[in-house]
Amino acid sequence: MSDNSFDVIVIGLGGMGSAAAYHLARREARVLGLEKFTPAHDRGSSHGGSRIIRQAYFEDPAYVPLLLRAYELWQELADTTGLEVYRKTGGLFIGPPDSLTVSGSLRAARDWDLPHEMLDATEIRSRFSTFTPCDTDAAFYEANAGFARPEMTVRAHLDLAAREGADLRFGEPVHDWADTESGVRVTTSAGTFTAGQLVICPGAWAPQLLADLGVPIKIERQVLYWLAPVGGTAPFEYNPVFIHENTAGQHVYGFPAIDGPDGGVKVAFFRKGEDLCTPDTIDRTVHPDEIDAMRTRVTELLPALSGRAVHAATCMYSTTPDEHFVIARPESLTNVTVACGFSGHGFKFVPVVGEILADLAITGATAHPIALFDPARLAIT
């Protein structure tokens, strides 16, 4: 086998690609991982310090089996590395009782017998003093919810992949790839490589890398905010993660104060996709009116978050029309596995998606339930 020949090439080493590289390498595949930027970079979608994890999935109960396995793998990753890649804080999912956030979470919990509590507005205020829901709000409380640390997780998977023998190359953008009868060929800024299989985890670069497949992905600019609580961060240190849906159907979400007394509290709008962009055109400046809009909305629920913005950052959502993932071996290709369209709710699945992608690349199939992510539903050719 030549130095430019591998069993599997992985394009994109963010959340999903780093996990795929690790799970492939631990199965003794000879892996080449290619990344345009530096490890755990902040140019895509796998940064920002924290991501909500939860099991009672209001988007669709079909996700729950994958989440149960993901939680096992989160713990395995923590045990293997000794790192706090995730933390259970409890999760408070608030809104009108018939809102998707509340009723959808309850449906998933009942379908899969997940532990949970239902709280009315008075109980929310009593148990979680920083929250001030309106009188008609209810909450689904999940003790197993919490947050994952994206940069730490990506680095952990990359370190483990390298330990297992993966050849990981950074600052090496992919210029072209091709599926052939004998395998795949990938051309980068440094040369051309061949492999039996290719795994593409393109994130916000999906429209470019998967253009010939017609994958319908839109890229949206999103903003993350860290607001300083009036009176300090102490009351927020042991808060649950939360998602709040108001009567207009607008979602905000947030975290405990996990970055110390000067780190503020991270909050953001959920799917406020007003700004379509590309990785080259995204406006990475966060503007004062955006901070004002975030502060105005989140103080409906958390009045103490009326302080200054400690920090703000942008990221990109890559989203399919139905907001479900694409994980598949496209029928038009022989040796290629594609994973994309995760943004908005994908990072909690990172460990199990890595396992799935290793299954698909090595055996062509997986025992995990991924029918929901079949690209045929999107009429991909």
Side-chain angles (χ1 to χ4, degrees):
M1 184 176 288
S2 74
D3 290 341
N4 284 2
S5 182
F6 298 85
D7 296 325
V8 186
I9 297 174
V10 179
I11 297 177
L13 296 175
M16 304 306 175
S18 63
Y22 166 54
H23 281 279
L24 284 160
R26 74 185 294 192
R27 299 187 199 186
E28 301 184 349
R30 189 162 185 255
V31 176
L32 171 64
L34 299 169
E35 170 56 54
K36 182 176 183 178
F37 299 106
T38 55
H41 62 84
D42 65 355
R43 312 307 290 172
S45 305
S46 295
H47 61 280
S50 55
R51 292 289 188 278
I52 289 176
I53 60 173
R54 51 195 166 93
Q55 294 180 345
Y57 221 56
F58 61 75
E59 289 85 345
D60 194 313
Y63 284 87
V64 174
L66 297 177
L67 288 162
L68 297 176
R69 177 56 178 160
Y71 265 61
E72 293 175 349
L73 291 170
W74 280 114
Q75 187 58 50
E76 179 183 291
L77 183 62
D79 292 342
T80 301
T81 62
L83 299 172
E84 190 191 48
V85 290
Y86 83 111
R87 182 192 302 175
K88 292 182 182 180
T89 62
L92 199 58
F93 308 113
I94 310 171
D98 61 350
S99 64
L100 178 63
T101 301
V102 177
S103 66
S105 298
L106 182 58
R107 175 191 170 200
R110 287 174 171 169
D111 284 356
W112 292 97
D113 195 25
L114 300 174
H116 65 280
E117 298 176 64
M118 296 302 300
L119 309 176
D120 62 23
T122 299
E123 291 168 320
I124 297 168
R125 298 186 197 106
S126 174
R127 288 179 57 174
F128 305 102
S129 61
T130 58
F131 290 84
T132 59
C134 66
D135 290 342
T136 55
D137 275 345
F140 176 98
Y141 179 74
E142 179 185 343
N144 282 328
F147 66 88
R149 300 181 184 271
E151 293 93 340
M152 184 185 293
T153 298
V154 171
R155 291 191 185 98
H157 277 137
L158 292 174
D159 288 346
L160 290 175
R163 187 186 306 174
E164 295 288 347
D167 183 351
L168 306 178
R169 305 188 183 194
F170 300 92
E172 191 164 335
V174 171
H175 296 319
D176 189 29
W177 62 270
D179 185 35
T180 73
E181 291 183 1
S182 58
V184 297
R185 183 177 64 254
V186 176
T187 302
T188 76
S189 55
T192 297
F193 306 91
T194 60
Q197 295 289 321
L198 176 62
V199 175
I200 306 178
C201 301
W205 286 262
Q208 294 98 307
L209 279 172
L210 305 179
D212 291 343
L213 296 181
V215 177
I217 297 283
K218 67 178 180 180
I219 310 303
E220 301 170 348
R221 173 182 176 271
Q222 302 287 336
V223 184
L224 312 173
Y225 306 84
W226 286 257
L227 301 179
V230 174
T233 58
F236 288 82
E237 289 179 6
Y238 299 100
N239 264 9
V241 298
F242 75 88
I243 299 173
H244 179 243
E245 180 177 349
N246 64 15
T247 54
Q250 184 188 61
H251 294 77
V252 293
Y253 66 93
F255 300 82
I258 65 174
D259 298 315
D262 299 320
V265 173
K266 180 185 171 185
V267 294
F269 288 102
F270 183 49
R271 296 197 182 282
K272 191 180 181 183
E274 297 177 349
D275 299 320
L276 296 181
C277 65
T278 72
D280 295 324
T281 64
I282 181 175
D283 178 4
R284 295 191 181 274
T285 299
V286 179
H287 302 279
D289 62 317
E290 295 179 304
I291 296 171
D292 290 343
M294 181 76 257
R295 187 186 291 113
T296 297
R297 171 63 178 87
V298 79
T299 52
E300 295 174 12
L301 181 68
L302 295 155
L305 295 187
S306 58
R308 66 184 180 88
V310 175
H311 177 57
T314 60
C315 70
M316 290 176 286
Y317 277 11
S318 52
T319 308
T320 63
D322 63 7
E323 298 178 356
H324 294 308
F325 312 152
V326 169
I327 304 175
R329 295 176 62 84
E331 291 184 2
S332 59
L333 301 171
T334 304
N335 305 297
V336 179
T337 301
V338 172
C340 60
F342 293 100
S343 290
H345 63 129
F347 201 88
K348 61 185 68 64
F349 295 90
V350 156
V352 71
V353 169
E355 187 171 68
I356 290 166
L357 295 177
D359 290 343
L360 294 175
I362 291 174
T363 70
T366 182
H368 288 295
I370 62 169
L372 181 61
F373 314 132
D374 186 340
R377 77 186 194 275
L378 302 171
I380 295 175
T381 60

